[in-house]
Amino acid sequence: MTKFKVTDASKSAGYHGQKLQWVVCSDFGGDEILTVTVILNNPPRNTFYDKHVLRKDENPVEILLLRNSAAPYKQVWVKDGKGNYVYFLTKKGKKEKKQKEIDNPLFRPELANTAEGMGIKSTGAPASTVISLKGLDFNQMIFDFAKALVHAKRAGKFAARNTQEEVTIVLSKAESVITVSGAGSVSKGQSLVVGGEWTGGDDDEIAFEVNHCEGVGDE
């Protein structure tokens, strides 16, 4: 098993929420020791951790409700003139050409302040993908992120800094990734596809910021 050490490098909370980052030291299965900073929250522009890692006593449905709490509309798939599906948002009461007005069944205005205080933006998300820490060691999860990011960079995935790339994170525990849809369906997996950037450092000291999730990955 690859050895590693994880150190919490998070700073105190600011006006927009808390920046959450960890430093991981390991050889990641290679020939040299690397020091990797993994940033999972950097509000207000990045609230990945707030949206995609379950807090104590939370469940995936609660996260989806929070993400939809201030949006009186929902996202809809329709076909354009060429038969291609188009994703868009429609607001309640607003009539737009070729767009349907559909109320959001998850609309919960009373939760809007809670979501704002936690750094969760109301996006009208059709589904929510989260990491459950039940049975998954927290430091192991952080290492899993760092390992996937390092391997992606070694493979040439991050060719330039501050450029968005997608990386599949495979966690160390089965069924630790949960997706809940607005329709109530639940699916579980062991990986998720995230987007992020190589933000700083090089050689043996590297920093990555993970800032969005594309959903459950392939097993």
Side-chain angles (χ1 to χ4, degrees):
M1 178 179 290
T2 303
K3 294 183 178 180
F4 63 89
K5 178 181 179 181
V6 175
T7 303
D8 188 347
S10 302
K11 299 179 180 179
S12 59
Y15 178 77
H16 294 290
Q18 188 174 17
K19 183 175 183 179
L20 300 175
Q21 56 186 341
W22 293 265
V23 176
V24 183
C25 292
S26 175
D27 62 8
F28 300 98
D31 297 327
E32 58 181 336
I33 300 295
L34 303 180
T35 300
V36 179
T37 299
V38 179
I39 304 166
L40 297 182
N41 230 51
N42 192 13
R45 69 183 180 88
N46 176 15
T47 55
F48 177 91
Y49 188 93
D50 289 328
K51 294 196 294 281
H52 300 294
V53 180
L54 286 184
R55 298 158 192 78
K56 185 179 180 181
D57 299 325
E58 279 184 339
N59 63 57
V61 175
E62 291 177 18
I63 297 294
L64 183 59
L65 289 173
L66 287 169
R67 294 184 66 183
N68 285 276
S69 60
Y73 53 83
K74 70 177 182 179
Q75 293 172 318
V76 185
W77 285 101
V78 296
K79 288 185 178 181
D80 62 15
K82 297 180 179 180
N84 299 313
Y85 280 98
V86 180
Y87 214 34
F88 64 87
L89 298 176
T90 65
K91 291 186 177 180
K92 183 178 180 182
K94 185 176 182 180
K95 300 289 187 179
E96 296 186 17
K97 187 177 180 181
K98 296 183 179 180
Q99 292 189 354
K100 298 178 181 179
E101 178 187 319
I102 300 180
D103 292 348
N104 174 20
L106 301 179
F107 180 42
R108 300 291 189 277
E110 68 276 11
L111 296 179
N113 289 337
T114 300
E116 182 179 1
M118 295 173 68
I120 294 179
K121 306 300 180 183
S122 295
T123 58
S128 179
T129 297
V130 296
I131 298 171
S132 172
L133 292 172
K134 186 175 181 179
L136 175 63
D137 179 75
F138 184 87
N139 285 349
Q140 180 68 54
M141 178 194 74
I142 298 299
F143 172 74
D144 292 341
F145 269 81
K147 178 177 67 174
L149 293 164
V150 167
H151 286 185
K153 189 174 187 303
R154 284 173 171 169
K157 187 80 170 183
F158 294 95
R161 296 186 188 183
N162 305 118
T163 300
Q164 286 288 319
E165 299 289 349
E166 290 185 0
V167 176
T168 298
I169 311 295
V170 180
L171 298 173
S172 300
K173 181 180 179 296
E175 297 191 340
S176 53
V177 179
I178 305 170
T179 292
V180 177
S181 75
S185 64
V186 178
S187 61
K188 297 182 180 181
Q190 194 170 348
S191 65
L192 68 166
V193 180
V194 304
E197 305 172 10
W198 163 34
T199 58
D202 204 349
D203 298 327
D204 59 348
E205 293 189 13
I206 315 169
F208 297 97
E209 180 168 331
V210 176
N211 51 40
H212 70 273
C213 175
E214 296 297 328
V216 178
D218 295 329
E219 297 305 317

